[in-house]
């Protein structure tokens, strides 16, 4: 099971879940050939991608038809297969949302993702499935009365759209190799291998009535349950709705977001094809979620439905109203992630976030393939998508996605790491294209830390060994040289990318570790983070590494005056106070169960009177730690948003023990950690640097003004008309009483 965000009340990460025609086909085709009027051919009114993302109710649906006809935007189906709405047992139309590849039903009254509804769309004897769409869930702002209204929350349009999208994914994946012989999903396998009796069962508006507030058991999610071949899979599309302190979605219906529908269908593909058909893939490093994102993106692109630019690489723009990252942390076409930070997100090894490393890697590969093999015209892209052109006559992106599908069949075990998936893609290229792309594959893998020395201790490894070298490149070699005021700094670590917490360093100056002070990297541009006890964090980059280069990466480190290692002492409110001064974003201070405004931590700076010009603050969270004073799951909404810095100089009777001894010297912007809807994300919470007025002090105090719950406009106010639940985070969520800061660091410059 997998997919988009699952609702919970903690704000933690969601947990997600050549043509042969047989006698039956011939009978259907002959019958259709004899009929010369459009009424006997099916058509569907659908959103090829989604409704408009500006929340308007303009109906932008297109008409898809089984045969060419006036007014049809596109002809759909696979030659030699029944039309989408035909029952293969009778050769007749079901006149509703049921056919050989899929069935779409209403399931308003069940929150059980394994249950399947029975009510298909209102029959259309003329086979014209053009049900009205009024955008009622959005127009009525999630008001539950929509279910008893005449429009019935557009349920017929939802079922018809979901049915058509599942059929379209069946057809597109069929041409890439997800066929009867590789355990696809069909009621009748038409004598072509595999087991039948397993069409995709789609629950539209799952839990629409039963799954809303106060428990939100069936909101803001989508999932796919894929049993072995011959047993029908089930997918659930849910309604989306804002939830206080958990997930701020617009009032939209997931049945109309093809990026989400296609993502879930992708889970069925990988669960059947990898070690298929009964094992189901297990990839805690996140490839299963990534593959689903990739399939959704590529389907939309090849058919010409993707939004322009980076929005075409966004999964869930419609369901989140976020054109940049959608339901992820990063847009897959603009991501800084690499294998050394596969565990970067603050809930630990998490399939959605960790999978973004694999998405970024494959986006690089796809771009390199398009540079080599071209991007083609829209007509060529469409011909490749529908199987009308052989892959060897297709642009680079089609060659790439074919390798992705081929790699599924080359993974013989269900428990796979990213290194396993890398090896399968390399093998797929050797088999399919004679190894024509080995160089660009290896170089792209190496650029994301999945090079020839990358290693993973099994599929659950949260700290795999990254490798940035390629057998097809002349790497550059960097010698890591951190230098402080008194010379080289021992115990410093170098990380590739933007993350330190839960990331794996690539070099260090600690003689007790197996690492050295050197790292080899394929040519490219890199960012680095340096962490050293007593020196806090230093960001470096961009750094351009050239082929054959041998250079010293000298890094000037300034003492962190607020570091416990350097001699600073911490007092104040809350728990885990020393962790705000330990030079480590993997730990944090917390104040729990009290209004957050005014909660503070005071640091007696290392040394005597110091002149401070800059502070660094991190709002990074961490996974649950059993036995810790702050043991449980940490909510995204508890991260600090706005703070101020106060200063005190201990002299004479002034001891800096009282609030009256401190003077304000700096107040951050209200969006110092600028999270927006649908939820706070790791990239918005990691270490940030703030210049402050030149300040002389022996003590600095960091004081919370707001956390993400109390200070972010996107989480404020009543955002729907559902009387059963409030949405204002500051008044309706317990996270208004919790705040966390990972690091407070102070520097002379």
């Amino acid at each position: 099971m997998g997919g988009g965000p699952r609702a919970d009340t903690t704000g933690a990460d969601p947990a997600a879940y050549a043509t042969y025609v047989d006698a039956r086909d011939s009978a259907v085709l002959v019958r259709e050939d004899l009929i010369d009027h459009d009424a006997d051919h099916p058509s569907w009114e659908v959103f090829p991608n989604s409704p408009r993302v500006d929340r308007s109710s303009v109906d932008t649906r297109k008409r898809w038809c089984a045969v060419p006809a006036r007014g049809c935007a596109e002809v759909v189906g696979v030659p030699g297969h029944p039309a989408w709405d035909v029952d293969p047992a009778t050769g007749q139309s079901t006149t509703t949302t049921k056919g050989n590849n899929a069935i779409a039903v209403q399931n308003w009254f069940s929150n059980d993702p394994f249950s399947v509804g029975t009510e298909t769309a209102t029959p259309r004897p003329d086979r014209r499935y053009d049900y009205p769409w009024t955008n009622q869930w959005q127009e009525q702002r999630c008001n539950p009365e929509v279910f008893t209204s005449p429009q019935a929350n557009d349920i017929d349009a939802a079922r018809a759209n979901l049915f058509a999208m599942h059929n379209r994914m069946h057809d597109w994946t069929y041409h890439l190799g997800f066929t009867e012989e590789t355990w696809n999903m069909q009621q009748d396998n038409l004598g072509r291998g595999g087991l039948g009796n397993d069409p995709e069962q789609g629950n539209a508006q799952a839990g629409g009535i039963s799954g809303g507030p106060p428990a939100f058991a069936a909101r803001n999610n989508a999932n796919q349950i894929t049993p072995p071949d011959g047993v029908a899979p089930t997918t659930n599309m849910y309604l989306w709705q804002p939830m206080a302190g958990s997930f701020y979605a617009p009032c939209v219906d997931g049945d109309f977001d093809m990026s989400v529908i296609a993502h879930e269908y992708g889970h069925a593909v990988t669960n059947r094809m990898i070690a298929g058909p009964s094992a189901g893939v297990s990839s805690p490093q996140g490839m299963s979620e990534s593959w689903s994102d990739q399939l959704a993106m590529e389907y939309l692109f090849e058919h010409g439905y993707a939004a322009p630019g980076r929005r075409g690489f966004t999964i869930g723009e419609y369901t989140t109203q976020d054109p940049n990252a959608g339901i992820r942390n990063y847009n897959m076409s603009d991501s800084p992630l690499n294998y050394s930070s596969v565990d970067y997100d603050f809930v630990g090894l998490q399939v959605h976030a960790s999978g973004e490393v694999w998405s970024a890697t494959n986006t690089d590969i796809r771009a390199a393939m398009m540079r080599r093999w071209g991007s083609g015209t829209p007509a060529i892209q469409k011909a490749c998508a529908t199987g009308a052109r052989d892959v060897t006559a297709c642009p680079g992106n089609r060659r790439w996605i074919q390798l992705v599908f081929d790699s599924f069949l080359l993974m013989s075990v269900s428990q796979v790491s990213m290194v396993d998936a890398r090896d399968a893609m390399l093998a797929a290229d050797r088999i399919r294209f004679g190894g024509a792309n080995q160089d660009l594959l290896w170089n792209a893998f190496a650029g994301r830390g999945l090079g020839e020395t990358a290693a993973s201790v099994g599929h659950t490894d949260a700290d795999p060994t990254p490798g940035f070298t390629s057998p097809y490149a002349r790497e550059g070699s960097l010698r890591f040289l951190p230098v402080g005021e008194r010379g080289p700094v021992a115990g410093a670590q170098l990380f590739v990318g933007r993350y330190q917490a839960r990331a794996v360093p690539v070099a260090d100056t600690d003689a007790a570790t197996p690492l050295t002070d050197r790292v080899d990297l394929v040519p490219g541009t890199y960012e680095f983070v340096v962490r050293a006890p007593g020196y806090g964090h230093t960001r470096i980059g961009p750094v351009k590494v050239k082929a054959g280069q041998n250079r010293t990466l000298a890094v000037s480190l300034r003492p962190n005056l607020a570091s416990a290692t350097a001699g600073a002492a911490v007092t104040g409110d809350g728990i885990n106070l020393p962790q705000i001064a330990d030079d480590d974003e993997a730990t944090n201070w917390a104040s729990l169960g009290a209004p957050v405004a005014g909660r503070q931590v005071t640091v007696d700076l290392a040394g005597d009177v110091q002149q401070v010009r800059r502070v660094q603050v991190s709002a990074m969270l961490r996974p649950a730690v059993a036995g810790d004073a702050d043991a449980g799951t940490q909510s995204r909404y508890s991260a600090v948003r706005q703070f101020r810095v106060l200063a005190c100089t201990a002299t004479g009777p002034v001891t800096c023990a009282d609030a009256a001894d401190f003077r304000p010297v700096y107040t951050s912007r209200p969006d110092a950690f600028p999270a927006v809807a649908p939820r706070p994300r790791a990239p918005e919470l990691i270490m940030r640097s703030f210049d402050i007025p030149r300040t002389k002090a022996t003590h600095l105090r960091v004081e919370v003004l707001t956390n993400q719950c109390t200070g972010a406009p996107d989480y404020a106010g009543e955002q729907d008309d559902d009387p059963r639940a409030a949405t204002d985070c500051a008044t309706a969520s317990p996270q208004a009483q919790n705040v966390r800061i990972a690091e407070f660091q102070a520097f002379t410059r």
Side-chain angles (χ1 to χ4, degrees), residues 614-637:
R614 181 172 61 90
V615 299
Q616 291 185 165
V617 180
S618 171
M620 194 60 167
L621 304 172
R622 60 157 174 77
V625 177
D628 190 86
D630 183 15
T633 301
Q634 298 190 345
S635 168
R636 299 170 179 274
Y637 297 85

Side-chain angles (χ1 to χ4, degrees), residues 208 294 311 528 548 565 586:
Q294 293 170 45
R311 289 176 53 210
F528 299 97
T565 299

Side-chain angles (χ1 to χ4, degrees), residues 171-191:
D171 297 350
W172 181 68
T173 59
Y174 196 90
H175 295 301
L176 286 161
F178 188 42
T179 65
E180 296 90 351
E181 290 184 337
T182 53
W183 315 293
N184 73 348
M185 301 177 293
Q186 295 177 182
Q187 180 63 33
D188 189 327
N189 277 9
L190 312 173

Side-chain angles (χ1 to χ4, degrees), residues 6 30 41 94 123 179 223 245 266 304 313 317-318 360 376 389 402 427 432 472 478 557 586 682 693 705 713 722 744:
R6 170 164 296 171
V30 169
H41 296 300
T94 64
T179 65
N223 48 49
F313 295 86
E317 177 181 4
Y318 179 65
R389 290 172 70 102
Q402 185 65 69
R432 171 74 65 171
Y472 290 86
L478 300 183
L557 301 184
L705 296 179
D722 190 329
F744 176 70

Side-chain angles (χ1 to χ4, degrees), residues 176-456:
L176 286 161
F178 188 42
T179 65
E180 296 90 351
E181 290 184 337
T182 53
W183 315 293
N184 73 348
M185 301 177 293
Q186 295 177 182
Q187 180 63 33
D188 189 327
N189 277 9
L190 312 173
R192 298 169 184 162
L195 301 176
N197 301 311
D198 59 355
E200 176 80 304
Q201 302 177 120
N203 285 320
Q205 297 182 8
I209 290 177
S210 59
F216 290 97
R219 290 291 187 272
N220 302 340
N221 198 12
N223 48 49
Q224 175 80 41
I225 299 159
T226 314
D229 191 30
V231 182
T234 302
T235 187
N236 296 279
M237 292 297 135
Y238 298 100
L239 297 171
W240 296 63
Q241 180 173 1
M243 293 175 56
S246 180
F247 198 83
Y248 283 84
C251 294
V252 296
D253 184 347
D255 294 288
F256 299 114
D257 190 331
M258 183 50 174
S259 70
V260 174
I261 297 168
H263 170 100
E264 297 307 331
Y265 199 95
H267 282 299
V269 174
T270 53
N271 275 299
R272 287 284 176 85
M273 293 185 78
I274 294 175
S278 303
V281 64
S282 174
S283 58
Q285 291 184 355
M287 295 85 70
S288 62
E289 296 298 333
S290 172
W291 283 317
S292 285
D293 283 358
Q294 293 170 45
L295 266 60
M297 174 273 295
E298 185 63 19
Y299 163 84
L300 291 168
F301 178 86
E302 288 187 4
H303 288 87
Y305 308 145
R310 63 187 296 154
R311 289 176 53 210
F313 295 86
T314 300
I315 305 300
E317 177 181 4
Y318 179 65
T319 52
T320 64
Q321 301 295 314
D322 182 347
N324 181 43
I327 55 178
R328 302 289 174 246
N329 286 322
Y330 291 100
N331 186 289
M332 71 175 78
S333 70
D334 184 19
S335 170
L337 298 174
N338 66 79
Y339 199 41
S340 71
S341 53
V342 70
D343 192 24
Y344 75 98
D345 206 6
F346 43 76
V347 293
L349 196 63
Q350 205 280 338
V351 290
H352 298 94
S354 299
E356 292 184 64
V357 175
W358 189 244
S359 294
T361 304
N362 272 271
T363 303
D364 290 350
I365 294 171
R366 180 180 183 271
M369 295 279 279
M370 293 177 80
R371 287 192 294 269
R372 172 167 292 175
W373 301 104
S375 56
T377 64
I380 290 175
Q381 289 285 349
K382 182 76 78 172
C384 294
T386 58
R389 290 172 70 102
D390 186 82
V391 67
T392 58
C394 287
N397 58 295
R398 182 68 176 188
R399 295 169 189 248
W400 160 75
I401 197 64
Q402 185 65 69
L403 289 181
V404 171
F405 271 73
D406 290 354
S407 75
F408 297 157
L409 294 174
L410 295 176
M411 286 177 268
S412 59
V413 296
S414 62
Q415 298 178 331
V416 292
S417 70
M418 280 193 198
V419 174
D420 298 324
R422 177 204 69 185
D423 292 345
M425 279 197 75
L426 289 162
D429 177 61
R430 291 193 294 270
I431 295 169
R432 171 74 65 171
F433 298 120
N437 305 292
Q438 293 290 292
D439 56 340
L440 64 80
L441 286 168
W442 267 118
N443 291 344
F445 283 131
R448 294 289 180 172
L450 279 158
E452 55 191 335
T453 60
S456 182

Side-chain angles (χ1 to χ4, degrees), residues 8-9 216 242-248 637 709 715 726-729 732-734:
D8 69 41
T9 56
F216 290 97
M243 293 175 56
S246 180
F247 198 83
Y248 283 84
Y637 297 85
C709 182
Y715 316 140
T727 62
D728 180 57
C729 196
S733 170

Side-chain angles (χ1 to χ4, degrees), residues 2 21 46 59 84 134 149 156 215 240 244 357 360 370 396 409 415 423 432 465 489 494 532 592-593 636 663 704:
V21 181
V46 299
D59 190 344
W84 290 351
T134 64
S149 70
D156 270 334
W240 296 63
V357 175
M370 293 177 80
L409 294 174
Q415 298 178 331
D423 292 345
R432 171 74 65 171
T465 301
V489 175
L494 180 70
L592 307 177
R636 299 170 179 274
R663 66 190 187 280
V704 175

